[in-house]
């Protein structure tokens, strides 16, 4: 891991550089520990998918997202929630909190998990709209994509997405344009229904 660091560290500044460095050196976070956590979170998600009526497995994943000691753990929890999609709807409040948790990796993964839930993530729309205003961050780009994935409940985001699509930030403009196209298609489909 550390031998690859110079390639991308030179492109980071400030807090992002510090966070990246701490992730690379591990701060006591060993590769084997991460592998075990990943396996456990995957098992919890698979068990929940097999029996969605038993919320204890989902609650355990949410607990890692809310209280995990390491960034990897919290980010991986977001990834498992993303993989679960709409059946992970009870995780929406935790994912909304994660949008502004101060951990760059988690803040980037939370919108992706919310987007995977489609309309079930409707309660996250105001927070995702607010996230669009973050300057040049992965979290804002993924928030735009998530709004497009949420669909009908996110139609209220069209004005903000139009502003974002005109951004001088190339990544934001592309993400917002994709989301706008999806939302405008949803709106057209809704308008043509009898």
């Amino acid at each position: 891991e550390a031998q690859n660091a110079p390639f991308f560290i030179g492109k980071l500044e400030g807090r992002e550089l510090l966070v990246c460095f701490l992730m690379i050196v591990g701060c006591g976070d060993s590769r084997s520990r991460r592998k075990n956590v990943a396996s456990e979170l995957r098992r919890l998600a698979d068990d929940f998918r097999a029996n969605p009526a038993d919320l204890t497995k989902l609650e355990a994943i949410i607990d890692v997202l809310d209280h995990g000691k390491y960034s990897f753990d919290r980010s991986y929890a977001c990834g498992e929630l993303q993989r679960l999609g709409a059946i992970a709807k009870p995780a929406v409040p935790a994912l909304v909190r994660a949008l502004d948790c101060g951990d760059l990796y988690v803040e980037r993964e939370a919108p992706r998990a919310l987007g995977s839930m489609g309309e079930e993530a409707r309660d996250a729309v105001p927070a995702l709209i607010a996230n669009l205003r973050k300057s040049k961050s992965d979290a804002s780009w993924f928030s735009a994509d998530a709004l497009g994935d949420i669909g009908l409940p996110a139609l209220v985001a069209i004005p903000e997405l139009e502003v974002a699509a005109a951004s001088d930030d190339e990544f934001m403009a592309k993400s917002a344009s994709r989301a706008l196209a999806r939302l405008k298609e949803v709106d057209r489909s809704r308008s043509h229904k009898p």
Side-chain angles (χ1 to χ4, degrees):
E1 295 174 353
Q3 69 261 25
N4 296 330
F7 170 72
F8 59 88
I9 283 190
K11 299 178 187 208
L12 302 176
E13 302 176 341
R15 182 168 172 239
E16 288 180 336
L17 176 62
L18 175 63
V19 169
C20 184
F21 175 75
L22 292 175
M23 289 296 292
I24 290 168
V25 298
C27 294
D29 190 12
S30 73
R31 181 179 285 192
S32 63
R33 191 206 65 78
R34 290 191 307 264
K35 185 176 178 182
N36 290 338
V37 167
S39 294
E40 180 61 16
L41 286 168
R42 174 69 46 119
R43 185 190 63 75
L44 287 167
D46 289 344
D47 289 352
F48 177 66
R49 183 181 303 284
N51 184 10
D54 179 7
L55 291 176
T56 59
K57 307 299 184 188
L58 182 62
E59 289 165 352
I61 297 170
I62 294 169
D63 188 58
V64 171
L65 173 59
D66 279 338
H67 308 290
K69 180 177 178 183
Y70 296 104
S71 181
F72 173 86
D73 302 2
R74 295 186 308 275
S75 296
Y76 206 89
C78 286
E80 288 304 317
L81 294 170
Q82 178 182 0
R83 197 168 65 88
L84 286 169
I87 65 170
K89 180 183 178 182
V92 168
L95 288 163
V96 167
R97 288 190 300 275
L99 291 172
D100 195 29
C101 70
D103 182 318
L104 297 172
Y105 297 100
V106 177
E107 289 177 356
R108 179 185 66 206
E109 296 303 319
R112 297 171 78 188
L114 288 163
S116 75
M117 294 177 190
E119 290 189 17
E120 294 298 327
R122 68 180 37 85
D123 294 341
V125 168
L128 289 166
I129 291 171
N131 227 25
L132 286 176
R133 298 181 190 117
K134 288 185 176 179
S135 63
K136 296 185 181 184
S137 75
D138 293 1
S140 62
W141 308 332
F142 287 126
S143 292
D145 284 323
L147 288 164
D149 293 339
I150 289 170
L152 187 62
L155 290 179
V156 298
I158 287 177
E160 286 288 338
L161 287 166
E162 287 172 337
V163 170
S167 171
D168 61 351
D169 176 349
E170 176 186 356
F171 296 109
M172 172 47 81
K174 285 181 180 179
S175 294
S177 294
R178 279 192 307 267
L180 274 171
R182 288 193 300 267
L183 291 178
K184 287 180 178 180
E185 180 59 35
V186 166
D187 197 29
R188 275 192 296 278
S189 297
R190 179 181 68 137
S191 299
H192 291 105
K193 287 186 179 176

